[in-house]
């Protein structure tokens, strides 16, 4: 009787250990994929923006189908896509909003960097 109980405990422990190992492996793969999606950023600022807004710059451009990053093009594409999906999909509309926010963040960041560079150039002369 004790022998059967010991075998049962050993078999149960093996099943739990395999399940745990499989869960850990899946979690590692999922975190690597997430890091790949958000980690393609070139600078720390981009990584922070990707993490904060949940989209990379490239994903946002793809969602709104933008090639040249200008305020007018972002607004134009956003309005047309948002209105086209007004009565069909709230999910798509939320994706358009997030993409627009990410692109606007990038535009404001690049404007700030240009201003800082011009100020530094003025100080040097």
């Amino acid at each position: 009787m004790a022998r059967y109980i010991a075998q049962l405990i050993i078999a149960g422990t093996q099943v739990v250990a395999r399940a745990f190992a499989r869960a850990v492996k899946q979690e590692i793969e999922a975190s690597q994929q997430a890091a790949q999606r958000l980690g393609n950023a070139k600078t720390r600022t981009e990584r922070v923006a990707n993490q904060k807004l949940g989209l990379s710059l490239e994903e946002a451009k793809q969602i709104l189908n933008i090639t040249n990053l200008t305020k007018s093009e972002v607004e134009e594409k956003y309005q047309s896509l948002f209105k086209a999906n007004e009565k069909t999909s709230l999910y798509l509309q939320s994706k358009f909003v997030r993409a627009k926010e990410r692109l606007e963040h990038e535009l404001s960041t690049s404007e700030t960097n240009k201003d800082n560079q011009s100020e530094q150039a003025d100080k040097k002369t």
Side-chain angles (χ1 to χ4, degrees), residues 33-71:
Q33 289 173 356
Q36 223 173 19
R37 272 188 290 123
L38 296 176
N40 291 337
K42 296 174 185 133
T43 64
R44 182 181 185 282
T45 309
E46 278 187 56
R47 284 193 301 273
V48 169
N50 290 350
Q51 218 166 15
K52 179 181 174 185
L53 298 171
L55 280 177
S56 71
L57 181 60
E58 294 305 315
E59 285 176 311
K61 283 181 174 181
Q62 287 177 349
I63 290 170
L64 291 181
N65 194 23
I66 290 179
T67 53
N68 298 329
L69 190 58
T70 61
K71 282 187 179 186

Side-chain angles (χ1 to χ4, degrees), residues 1-15:
M1 179 78 150
R3 179 177 175 199
Y4 293 120
I5 293 174
Q7 287 177 343
L8 184 63
I9 290 172
I10 291 171
T13 304
Q14 288 175 342
V15 168

